[in-house]
Every structure is written in structure tokens, then in C-alpha cells.
């Protein structure tokens, strides 16, 4: 999934910021944001940069935020945390990242683990695998490999339900899977055909109660890639529905996440405020300056209210 980030995209948003502008302080749990019905950039004064940011996840209490940062050549898991004065720390590479290509962090529901995907070596593992770190008194533990029995050792993007089921996608397979925990490993099974049919499904976010699934797909999209939702109604999954505008756009959307209380929705998008307008014989410096901003077509993190989920589900209950 991470190599898709090499693409550049275009759409619409707000003003193009300058990297030299003084940044205001972000304050309070969950960055102090109030979810709205329209996507908004997530703490751009703290998170946004000219490189790619995606796959954001808050700790359950909203005092830690981990996400993926992807400059050319390597991807890092990056984090910021709430400080004593209610401001947030300057983002830095996580204690368990930086040596290998790491991405897709996801907090467990109790906040004591972070699951993530990584290309760090494990036995004969050559592609991406799933790992986790455990919270300890002094910080995070060393990464621990997650054994997914029956998977193809090319796993990305995990999420967890209350009962410990682990959802993920296998990039080389183009499908999404569920890992059911046993004593020491997960037994893996593909998600139902109604969800996996089509091409290249991934980035599965499962709700804590496993009553809905939001994921990334490329069939009948508004742009490069869109987000879709399927509901589990009395044990049967509904046909996936495109989330539509304003969430999806003519560019690329991916990496959905919903807060444990079901109120906040975060996703990544490549939309930009306005295409660069140039003329013949104009200085190329204008192009250079334009793409030094975060609003340059790379993925950024967005947030909005998650109320649309209940609204979409209601029509299946009538």
C-alpha cells in the first residue's frame, strides 16, 4: 500500500500555506478539534509538510497521535503527544521506528499496544509483516512479530475489534482478511466475497463491535482511489457503498480510522486547494516554491464527524 504514495494527485481545498509562517499552537486532547460535516485538514500547523502524511491514529484518551510519514526512500512512524501545558510536542520518529520502513500504526482499544506494518526482517520474511509494541513503564517495548497463519507474508494496515480479531490486507493478493486469535497465533481467513470482489481492496478499518468495515478500493471510483463501507446486519455483510463526496474526491483517498467513541473520522487524501497556474517563459522558481508547501498533491490527514456512518446504516435497517 505504501508505494502508492509515490503518485501525485490534485483537487481542491483552502489556502496554500507558507512553510515560513509562524504556526499557532495546537491544544487539548484530540488536538482540540470539533468534528464537522465537511473534511478539514487535521492540525496542519503541526502535522502537514511537503512530504506524505497518512494513516493517523489517536490513543483512546486523545493524548497521543501516531501516523506515517513517507519521504522518498523510506517511511517512518511519527508521533506527537500532549504536554503538561496542553500543547502538543513537535512530531518526531517513534522510538520503535527509523531503522526500517515502518507504516500503518494502530492503537489497541485499551491504548497499551500499537500494531504496525514493517519491512523489518523476521525469519524468511521479505515483504511487509505485522508487528506490535507493548506499553511499558519506560516507554514502548521492542517490536514483537505477529504470526498470521495462512497469510502470504505481505500484510498491511491492521485494525482490531473488541474480541481481538485482527483485520488486514495482503497487498500482493489484493484482498482483505481477518485473523482470529488462538493461544499464540492468528488463524487467517479471507473476508466474504461480497467485500473482496473487484480489485485491490485494502486499508480495512473494523469497528470495535464488527458491525461495519471501512476500506480503500479502486472500483467505480470518483478518482484514483476511494473509501467504501459495508455493514454487518444480522451476520450478513452488505454490498460495499462508496462514501461519496465530500469524503472521496477526484484524487486519492485511503487509510480510514474512527475514534473508539464513534465520533471522529480521520482519513488521508491527496486533494489540493488549487492547481498551479503557469505561463510560457515564466520562471521555474514559481513551480519550485509551490511544491515546497504541504498543499502539493501528496497525501495529507483530514478529519470530520463520523455521523455519516449511522446515517448510512439506517437505510439498511428500515
Amino acid at each position: 500500500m505504501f508505494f502508492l504514495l509515490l503518485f501525485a494527485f490534485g483537487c481542491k481545498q483552502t489556502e496554500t500555506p507558507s512553510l515560513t509562517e509562524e504556526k499557532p499552537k495546537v491544544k487539548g486532547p484530540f488536538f482540540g478539534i470539533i468534528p464537522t460535516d465537511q473534511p478539514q485538514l487535521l492540525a496542519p500547523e503541526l502535522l502537514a509538510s511537503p512530504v506524505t502524511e497518512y494513516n493517523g491514529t489517536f490513543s483512546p484518551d486523545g493524548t497521543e497521535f501516531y501516523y506515517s510519514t513517507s519521504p522518498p526512500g523510506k517511511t517512518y512512524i511519527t508521533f506527537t503527544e500532549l504536554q503538561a501545558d496542553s500543547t502538543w510536542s513537535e512530531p518526531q520518529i517513534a522510538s520503535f521506528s527509523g531503522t526500517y520502513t515502518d507504516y500503518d500504526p494502530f492503537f489497541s482499544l485499551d491504548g497499551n499496544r500499537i500494531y504496525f506494518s514493517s519491512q523489518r526482517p523476521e525469519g524468511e520474511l521479505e515483504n511487509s509483516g505485522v508487528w506490535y509494541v507493548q506499553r511499558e513503564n519506560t516507554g514502548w517495548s521492542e517490536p514483537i512479530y505477529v504470526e498470521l497463519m495462512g497469510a502470504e507474508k505481505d500484510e498491511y494496515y491492521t485494525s482490531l475489534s473488541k474480541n481481538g480479531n485482527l483485520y488486514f490486507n495482503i497487498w500482493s493478493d489484493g484482498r482483505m482478511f481477518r485473523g482470529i486469535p488462538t493461544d499464540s497465533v492468528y488463524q487467517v481467513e479471507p473476508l466474504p466475497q461480497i467485500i473482496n470482489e473487484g480489485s485491490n481492496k485494502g486499508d480495512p478499518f473494523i469497528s470495535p463491535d464488527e458491525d461495519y468495515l471501512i476500506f480503500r478500493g479502486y472500483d467505480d471510483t470518483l478518482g484514483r482511489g476511494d473509501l467504501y463501507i459495508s455493514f454487518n446486519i444480522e451476520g450478513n455483510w452488505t454490498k460495499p457503498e462508496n462514501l461519496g463526496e465530500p469524503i472521496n474526491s477526484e484524487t486519492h483517498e485511503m487509510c480510514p480510522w474512527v475514534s473508539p467513541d464513534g465520533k471522529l473520522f480521520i482519513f488521508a487524501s491527496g486533494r489540493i486547494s488549487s492547481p498551479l497556474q503557469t505561463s510560457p517563459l515564466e520562471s521555474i522558481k514559481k513551480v519550485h516554491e509551490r511544491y515546497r508547501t504541504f498543499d502539493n498533491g501528496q497525501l495529507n490527514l483530514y478529519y470530520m464527524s463520523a455521523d455519516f456512518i449511522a446515517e448510512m446504516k439506517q437505510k439498511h435497517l428500515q
Side-chain angles (χ1 to χ4, degrees), residues 66 96 140 158 164 244 313 315:
Y66 281 72
F96 52 88
W140 295 109
T158 52
K313 184 176 182 178
K315 68 182 181 182

Side-chain angles (χ1 to χ4, degrees), residues 79-154:
F79 81 102
T80 175
E81 58 188 356
L82 193 65
Q83 302 176 111
D85 63 354
S86 291
T87 64
W88 286 77
S89 63
E90 191 70 20
Q92 55 186 301
I93 297 171
S95 62
F96 52 88
S97 188
T99 301
Y100 303 99
T101 290
D102 306 312
Y103 31 82
D104 300 346
F106 186 89
F107 271 99
S108 61
L109 293 173
D110 63 6
N112 290 326
R113 283 185 181 181
I114 294 178
Y115 289 80
F116 66 100
S117 305
S118 177
Q119 292 186 349
R120 64 189 61 216
E122 171 61 26
E124 298 180 358
L125 181 68
E126 296 180 356
N127 295 316
S128 177
V130 176
W131 301 72
Y132 73 84
V133 288
Q134 185 77 31
R135 194 184 296 277
E136 300 177 340
N137 291 334
T138 57
W140 295 109
S141 70
E142 289 297 311
I144 299 168
Y145 180 64
V146 177
E147 186 68 40
L148 298 168
M149 297 299 294
E152 297 182 13
K153 311 304 181 188
D154 193 19

Side-chain angles (χ1 to χ4, degrees), residues 25-266:
K25 295 289 186 180
V26 176
K27 292 189 175 182
F30 294 100
F31 297 151
I33 59 178
I34 299 175
T36 64
D37 60 0
Q38 295 289 320
Q40 307 290 328
L41 275 164
L42 180 63
E45 59 272 36
L46 182 70
L47 305 178
S49 77
V51 301
T52 296
E53 286 87 29
Y54 64 106
N55 194 207
T57 178
F58 279 104
S59 60
D61 62 1
T63 63
E64 300 167 277
F65 185 76
Y66 281 72
Y67 61 104
S68 302
T69 301
S70 188
K74 183 183 287 189
T75 302
Y76 306 94
I77 293 177
T78 313
F79 81 102
T80 175
E81 58 188 356
L82 193 65
Q83 302 176 111
D85 63 354
S86 291
T87 64
W88 286 77
S89 63
E90 191 70 20
Q92 55 186 301
I93 297 171
S95 62
F96 52 88
S97 188
T99 301
Y100 303 99
T101 290
D102 306 312
Y103 31 82
D104 300 346
F106 186 89
F107 271 99
S108 61
L109 293 173
D110 63 6
N112 290 326
R113 283 185 181 181
I114 294 178
Y115 289 80
F116 66 100
S117 305
S118 177
Q119 292 186 349
R120 64 189 61 216
E122 171 61 26
E124 298 180 358
L125 181 68
E126 296 180 356
N127 295 316
S128 177
V130 176
W131 301 72
Y132 73 84
V133 288
Q134 185 77 31
R135 194 184 296 277
E136 300 177 340
N137 291 334
T138 57
W140 295 109
S141 70
E142 289 297 311
I144 299 168
Y145 180 64
V146 177
E147 186 68 40
L148 298 168
M149 297 299 294
E152 297 182 13
K153 311 304 181 188
D154 193 19
E155 304 98 356
Y156 291 80
Y157 204 95
T158 52
S159 62
L160 290 162
S161 62
K162 282 180 181 177
N163 61 13
N165 288 338
L166 187 148
Y167 286 65
F168 63 97
N169 68 275
I170 294 178
W171 182 259
S172 57
D173 183 277
R175 293 185 297 166
M176 297 178 291
F177 295 78
R178 179 175 68 170
I180 301 172
T182 62
D183 290 340
S184 59
V185 299
Y186 287 85
Q187 295 295 331
V188 171
E189 61 184 24
L191 296 189
Q193 180 63 24
I194 193 172
I195 294 176
N196 270 325
E197 65 184 355
S199 60
N200 293 335
K201 302 296 190 296
D203 299 357
F205 173 85
I206 189 64
S207 66
D209 293 325
E210 291 185 294
D211 58 342
Y212 67 84
L213 179 78
I214 304 177
F215 61 93
R216 170 210 16 100
Y218 297 100
D219 299 309
D220 300 320
T221 65
L222 303 182
R224 166 64 183 157
D226 284 354
L227 295 175
Y228 300 78
I229 191 167
S230 176
F231 295 98
N232 189 341
I233 308 293
E234 298 181 351
N236 296 308
W237 287 97
T238 63
K239 183 177 176 60
E241 302 168 71
N242 190 304
L243 293 185
E245 295 179 324
I247 296 172
N248 291 322
S249 72
E250 62 187 28
T251 60
H252 196 189
E253 280 69 45
M254 59 196 300
C255 302
W257 179 86
V258 180
S259 58
D261 62 7
K263 295 181 179 180
L264 176 64
F265 178 59
I266 293 176

